[in-house]
Amino acid sequence: MRQFRRLLALAAIAGLVPFTAQSQQPRLGGELVFPVPSEPPSYDGHREETFGLIHPIAPFYNTLLRVDPNDKGGTKPYPSLAESWTVSPDGKAYVFKLRKGVKFHDGSEMTSEDVKASYEKIIFPAPGVGSTRKGQYADVEAVRAPDRYEVQFRLKHASGSFIASLLSPYNFIYKADILAKDPHWYEKNIMGTGPFTFVEHVKGSHVVGRKNPNYWDKGKPYLDGFRAIFMRDSAAQVAAVRGERAHIQFRGFTPKDRDNLKAALGDKITVQESPWDCILMVAINHKQKPFDDPRVRRALSLALDRYEGSKALSQIAIVKEVAGVQVPGTPFATPPGELGKLAGYWRDPEKSRAESRRLLKEAGVPAGFSFTFMNRGIPMPYEPLGVWLIDQWRKVGLNVTQRVIEPAAYYSSLRKGEHQVAMDFQCGYIVEPDLDMYKFTSTSRNPANYGFYEDPVLDDLYDKQSAATNVEDRKKIIRQFEKRVLDEQAHYLMTLQWHRIIPHSSKLHGWTITPSHYLNNTLDTVWLSQ
Amino acid sequence: MGRYVLKRLLAMIPTLIGVAVLIFILLRVIPGDVVEARYLAQGSQFQSQDLMDQERAKLGLDKPLWQQFTTWMTGLLRLDFGLSMWTGSPITEEIKLRFLLSLQLAIMASTIATCLAIPLGIIAAMKQDTWVDYAVRVFSITGLATPSFWLGSLMILSMLIVFKWVPPMVFTPLWVNPWENLAQLIWPALAVGYRYCAVGTRMMRSTMLEVLREDYIRTARAKGLWVKLILTRHALKNAILPVLTVISTEFAFLLGGLVVTEQVFNLNGLGMLFVEGISHRDYTMIQALVLLVATFFLTINFVVDIAYGWIDPRIRYR
């Protein structure tokens, strides 16, 4: 009898082992349901800027390259429609070999002409055709399609960021014939090569996609389909996940939402977290006195205890990491030890505040000096960060009044340049110095610089790092750029890096968080275990 | 009567023109426009002034205000609301998509409110200063003090904690799947209907109390008429008029004003469209919605005024 029981136990274990191994294998079928907090105005990725387009529409398309879906850093290039690529020795020519047999959803074959037409629409749009990312490809001289499965990009000069710019999840590959007939067709229609085919979009409600049975990546996608539900209210999104009506929300939840979901659902919820390539910055208007004085701007930065702020604010807001001009932990980010040498990043807050007071005094700013801080009327994380900033500045004797502006009116106010000090915001689809640091270049070059300053030295450093093809050389220039913009001139102040928290159903597999909520939304690798 | 109806209908025209002018001017006064909402609010690194100018020209926002206004008014005369500045889709299509849900919700909430408010108000008046009256007063005052969206949030949270269930997230028309439809809409209808019912109950109670003190009611009682008959034939007909006004005005409000409640329950109705329109500075959409809501109010007021004469024959139209 004992032997029998032992045999039974062994058999059970033997039965369990393959079961466990199998459970790691992607399961076919199921419909992924996810809320999307924003709805896209059109379907044209080349024209829009909102993640509200990426989350429900990206699964219908492919891009030339993509970010490795398993790379948590969200920066590694990975083949998509291009299976390989080479760069010429002078760094000016990029050649991409395309996959053969890739079909659009209408059954026609995708060729180099389609890639060329799509990129020409982005880089050299015809009059009347909108392309928001045209400026990112200013270095591109020409796009060529020498044969059916090869695409060439010719640059005006070598660039350290060109491959990264091709990882943009917005650069959907469209069909050349359609674009030739009507370059606006893709604004109101969907037809790509992606893992899912379009079923319906009920405006204000949802988008439905069905598995593409002819997808070029055989065996994928694993899901039968997906349903993206537009849901503006964050409490409703949390309730949808908690009520198991939705599997995931791809943008992010607050620390409190995460804790509540975990407490309510336990093992049914898996949490993935990452530094987020979004940050709130303080734009100091150089045209307003006394903020034209670098000592005053440095004093404002030195007044901030970012490390304590991180500890406290990360409990209540979607911010966490102390950061420079790059997302911490990513290839070009300044290591914490080095970052700690910059003004406002010192580990000793009292020493920092003493220096802040000294600088204010030296600049002739009287004790109790009052100014207005303009903030955007969005609760998370603008409100807690605004309160924190005001409290920190109060500690060096500054008297700050907060003026909150309605979100839709905010940028109109900011562009007028009437503010003294204001909250500014930047969010990227990939962590890349060219993209992340352009914000800080002179206002004559970048109208989105709300510090309203001219700094040719900074512009020169920006161009140098952009052209540097050697990673170590580029890092060195980025450090110089960072020191100038955050320390020596203190043109802008960084608050804290956003922190992305994705609590999702434990049934969901094959999805890896990245620092960008614009990435990893093709859904070809995602599967549901039940 | 015919002359009165015609006069009232003609009076609606200048009112609507006034609303149109007012909303057009107000929208242009507030800062920000649809192009900024589209290209600046996302915090992207590269912003192109050329693209923004191009988009403004495409939407006609670069034209003088009088020209924008005449273009819009000319469209309105042809009953053409134009295209949404945000999506580029015809506004009538966008409204049509949401109208059904808002109408059903308004009807459900009104039905719940009316069915509860009238009997509760009457009972409270009949049993004045008894525990029944106190209970109704507590019920109605609580309803007045409770915002619908808060009650809605509480309902969702309770359902999640107790039943581990939330209402469906996507609208299903009644004729497609009645169960699914009711499972989604009954909760917001209850949340909104409660506040609405509270207003009606208070009104019904006070007008009923007033009427019950009238001489003709005392006479009817003295004559030994059956209480039910006194209430329905004599008291209710006279007491219901102000209640009817309140209920109808609330109904018009529900058609376009359930902004926060629709967000809480994720309902794709006109209120949500309003919020989206405002946050995107979608001028054409907001203008159309404001005009639509104004038309609802004017029409419902007109219908109620006509109904007054039917309910109370003493009312004469001139």
Side-chain angles (χ1 to χ4, degrees):
Chain A
M1 188 66 188
R2 239 170 112 180
Q3 214 169 4
F4 175 73
R5 274 187 196 154
R6 222 177 267 166
L7 274 170
L8 205 68
L10 277 171
I13 292 163
L16 274 176
V17 172
F19 174 77
T20 314
Q22 264 173 15
S23 68
Q24 296 307 311
Q25 292 297 312
R27 173 185 163 269
L28 293 177
E31 184 186 57
L32 181 78
V33 182
F34 54 95
V36 183
S38 154
E39 188 171 8
S42 84
Y43 302 138
D44 187 356
H46 303 174
R47 185 180 182 225
E48 304 302 341
E49 299 205 335
T50 167
F51 70 92
L53 176 122
I54 292 295
H55 292 191
I57 308 298
F60 302 121
Y61 290 99
N62 287 124
T63 46
L64 188 61
L65 299 178
R66 68 192 288 194
V67 166
D68 183 346
N70 298 312
D71 173 25
K72 210 170 174 252
T75 53
K76 283 186 197 151
Y78 193 77
S80 183
L81 291 179
E83 51 186 3
S84 65
W85 62 93
T86 53
V87 188
S88 67
D90 66 355
K92 289 186 183 174
Y94 287 74
V95 179
F96 296 88
K97 293 282 177 200
L98 301 184
R99 280 176 208 285
K100 291 175 183 162
V102 175
K103 294 267 196 311
F104 279 105
H105 297 160
D106 67 353
S108 59
E109 194 188 9
M110 190 278 310
T111 67
S112 56
E113 282 303 326
D114 301 308
V115 178
K116 179 175 179 275
S118 301
Y119 268 95
E120 282 185 337
K121 180 173 173 282
I122 296 167
I123 305 169
F124 315 111
V129 177
S131 167
T132 51
R133 275 161 285 277
K134 183 182 160 185
Q136 292 171 31
Y137 300 94
D139 292 344
V140 178
E141 198 172 70
V143 186
R144 296 190 189 108
D147 76 42
R148 213 169 153 73
Y149 302 107
E150 187 180 304
V151 178
Q152 295 177 356
F153 287 81
R154 182 83 202 156
L155 308 190
K156 290 171 194 158
H157 48 78
S159 164
S161 65
F162 183 65
I163 285 289
S165 73
L166 298 183
L167 302 178
S168 166
Y170 288 100
N171 293 0
F172 302 150
I173 300 302
Y174 295 150
K175 193 171 164 173
D177 294 351
I178 293 175
L179 288 178
K181 279 181 207 148
D182 179 8
H184 296 286
W185 190 86
Y186 278 97
E187 288 171 16
K188 290 186 183 289
N189 300 279
I190 293 173
M191 212 281 290
T193 56
F196 294 90
T197 57
F198 178 69
V199 176
E200 68 168 354
H201 173 200
V202 177
K203 287 202 172 148
S205 177
H206 61 273
V207 167
V208 178
R210 190 188 299 131
K211 177 179 186 152
N212 174 6
N214 304 314
Y215 191 52
W216 54 266
D217 197 353
K218 294 298 164 210
K220 286 180 187 161
Y222 304 121
L223 299 165
D224 283 341
F226 72 89
R227 185 173 291 263
I229 298 171
F230 300 112
M231 211 176 271
R232 202 181 164 86
D233 186 58
S234 59
Q237 296 157 26
V238 176
V241 174
R242 189 168 165 179
E244 298 185 67
R245 283 207 182 263
H247 297 100
I248 187 167
Q249 187 263 68
F250 287 109
R251 188 172 181 270
F253 282 144
T254 63
K256 194 166 178 271
D257 294 335
R258 170 199 60 202
D259 298 343
N260 286 344
L261 283 169
K262 201 68 196 160
L265 295 174
D267 290 345
K268 286 179 171 180
I269 280 286
T270 301
V271 181
Q272 295 194 48
E273 296 191 24
S274 163
W276 196 343
D277 188 13
C278 295
I279 194 162
L280 293 184
M281 297 165 285
V282 179
I284 309 168
N285 192 344
H286 291 44
K287 289 186 175 165
Q288 301 260 357
K289 284 197 179 295
F291 303 104
D292 56 337
D293 188 333
R295 289 170 299 184
V296 177
R297 300 193 299 264
R298 284 190 91 213
L300 289 185
S301 188
L302 282 158
L304 308 178
D305 182 357
R306 291 176 168 88
Y307 302 101
E308 272 306 306
S310 165
K311 275 186 214 161
L313 289 165
S314 63
Q315 306 294 312
I316 55 161
I318 52 169
V319 293
K320 192 170 184 179
E321 288 78 11
V322 175
V325 293
Q326 285 283 277
V327 177
T330 55
F332 293 99
T334 308
E338 214 176 309
L339 193 67
K341 292 175 190 162
L342 299 179
Y345 292 82
W346 301 349
R347 290 281 177 178
D348 182 350
E350 286 317 313
K351 185 183 156 200
S352 193
R353 284 188 191 123
E355 176 64 4
S356 173
R357 284 189 204 99
R358 189 192 68 77
L359 283 172
L360 287 171
K361 198 174 169 188
E362 192 182 291
V365 176
F369 173 74
S370 298
F371 67 89
T372 304
F373 172 65
M374 193 166 89
N375 202 357
R376 198 175 175 197
I378 294 179
M380 186 56 69
Y382 288 80
E383 199 178 285
L385 275 173
V387 171
W388 173 69
L389 284 170
I390 291 167
D391 176 63
Q392 296 289 296
W393 289 326
R394 192 181 51 81
K395 286 182 178 166
V396 292
L398 295 169
N399 183 14
V400 188
T401 308
Q402 184 174 221
R403 188 174 152 229
V404 179
I405 309 271
E406 185 234 334
Y410 191 71
Y411 279 95
S412 179
S413 309
L414 211 53
R415 281 161 73 89
K416 281 183 194 150
E418 290 163 355
H419 59 277
Q420 289 179 297
V421 177
M423 195 75 100
D424 194 1
F425 165 61
Q426 176 161 282
C427 222
Y429 65 78
I430 189 167
V431 182
E432 216 304 310
D434 266 17
L435 295 174
D436 298 329
M437 288 161 34
Y438 186 70
K439 175 87 187 168
F440 309 112
T441 56
S442 296
T443 201
S444 56
R445 183 171 169 159
N446 177 18
N449 174 346
Y450 301 118
F452 299 104
Y453 56 82
E454 293 296 323
D455 189 339
V457 177
L458 205 61
D459 296 346
D460 187 45
L461 285 170
Y462 178 85
D463 291 335
K464 275 186 185 155
Q465 69 76 30
S466 180
T469 46
N470 180 292
V471 173
E472 289 310 313
D473 291 347
R474 198 175 179 201
K475 274 185 188 170
K476 274 182 204 154
I477 308 168
I478 290 169
R479 299 286 178 278
Q480 290 172 38
F481 182 98
E482 188 171 59
K483 188 166 172 54
R484 185 162 180 89
V485 76
L486 300 182
D487 184 329
E488 291 162 2
Q489 291 298 318
H491 286 311
Y492 256 93
L493 312 185
M494 308 305 260
T495 61
L496 296 167
Q497 196 74 41
W498 283 24
H499 188 71
R500 194 171 172 216
I501 301 169
I502 308 282
H504 62 77
S505 162
S506 296
K507 293 174 193 166
L508 184 145
H509 306 268
W511 182 82
T512 307
I513 196 170
T514 67
S516 164
H517 60 295
Y518 300 94
L519 293 176
N520 253 356
N521 281 91
T522 315
L523 307 182
D524 54 338
T525 55
V526 174
W527 56 280
L528 298 171
S529 56
Q530 281 174 53
Chain B
M1 175 75 170
R3 213 172 146 197
Y4 173 79
V5 169
L6 189 71
K7 236 166 87 178
R8 284 292 304 267
L9 285 173
L10 286 174
M12 281 187 192
I13 297 169
T15 313
L16 286 174
I17 292 175
V19 170
V21 174
L22 202 66
I23 189 64
F24 184 89
I25 295 169
L26 282 177
L27 281 174
R28 266 68 181 182
V29 167
I30 54 171
D33 66 19
V34 67
V35 178
E36 283 181 5
R38 191 169 195 151
Y39 294 111
L40 299 182
Q42 301 299 325
S44 59
Q45 301 94 333
F46 285 81
Q47 291 164 7
S48 158
Q49 190 57 48
D50 291 350
L51 176 70
M52 288 173 62
D53 294 342
Q54 185 186 307
E55 290 288 321
R56 279 203 181 94
K58 212 163 123 185
L59 296 168
L61 291 171
D62 57 337
K63 294 197 175 102
L65 281 186
W66 66 266
Q67 214 173 324
Q68 291 180 41
F69 185 71
T70 34
T71 311
W72 180 50
M73 286 309 276
T74 325
L76 276 186
L77 288 176
R78 297 191 308 265
L79 292 178
D80 175 13
F81 284 113
L83 303 177
S84 155
M85 286 185 169
W86 181 253
T87 64
S89 304
I91 286 172
T92 37
E93 204 178 274
E94 297 262 4
I95 291 176
K96 217 169 95 186
L97 253 171
R98 278 99 171 168
F99 184 71
L100 189 69
L101 185 146
S102 290
L103 182 69
Q104 191 190 336
L105 186 58
I107 291 172
M108 283 172 73
S110 305
T111 311
I112 293 170
T114 314
C115 291
L116 284 173
I118 294 174
L120 283 178
I122 295 171
I123 294 168
M126 296 278 295
K127 309 272 180 190
Q128 195 191 3
D129 294 334
T130 64
W131 70 267
V132 179
D133 182 28
Y134 292 136
V136 172
R137 279 154 75 177
V138 167
F139 172 80
S140 57
I141 289 168
T142 311
L144 286 175
T146 312
S148 306
F149 65 88
W150 182 80
L151 183 62
S153 302
L154 212 65
M155 278 176 163
I156 293 180
L157 207 61
S158 312
M159 285 187 276
L160 262 173
I161 293 167
V162 180
F163 305 110
K164 302 197 183 316
W165 182 87
V166 277
M169 300 181 297
V170 173
F171 176 64
T172 313
L174 193 63
W175 58 89
V176 174
N177 186 339
W179 177 247
E180 192 82 355
N181 174 281
L182 288 177
Q184 187 189 28
L185 292 188
I186 191 69
W187 312 106
L190 282 170
V192 173
Y194 179 34
R195 198 197 67 86
Y196 188 177
C197 160
V199 178
T201 307
R202 298 279 301 165
M203 183 60 81
M204 188 74 235
R205 181 184 173 275
S206 57
T207 53
M208 200 60 169
L209 277 175
E210 224 171 89
V211 171
L212 288 177
R213 286 176 192 141
E214 293 284 338
D215 290 345
Y216 65 91
I217 297 289
R218 201 178 305 125
T219 311
R221 275 185 176 154
K223 279 191 334 189
L225 273 183
W226 190 30
V227 179
K228 200 178 161 190
L229 202 70
I230 296 172
L231 277 178
T232 51
R233 191 168 290 176
H234 300 286
L236 188 60
K237 269 196 169 183
N238 287 298
I240 198 107
L241 290 180
V243 181
L244 191 73
T245 312
V246 168
I247 287 176
S248 55
T249 316
E250 283 281 323
F251 182 79
F253 167 76
L254 290 185
L255 279 173
L258 288 179
V259 174
V260 191
T261 311
E262 283 185 7
Q263 278 199 43
V264 168
F265 287 96
N266 198 48
L267 302 174
N268 188 24
L270 292 178
M272 194 85 116
L273 191 63
F274 232 127
V275 177
E276 296 281 339
I278 291 166
S279 64
H280 297 144
R281 293 286 190 271
D282 189 348
Y283 294 161
T284 45
M285 179 63 77
I286 306 166
Q287 286 164 191
L289 284 170
V290 168
L291 266 188
L292 195 72
V293 173
T295 313
F296 290 153
F297 271 97
L298 288 173
T299 313
I300 287 170
N301 272 328
F302 170 69
V303 172
V304 170
D305 284 353
I306 299 294
Y308 269 20
W310 175 69
I311 295 168
D312 187 348
R314 288 171 303 176
I315 295 172
R316 291 283 171 268
Y317 300 105
R318 285 182 191 156

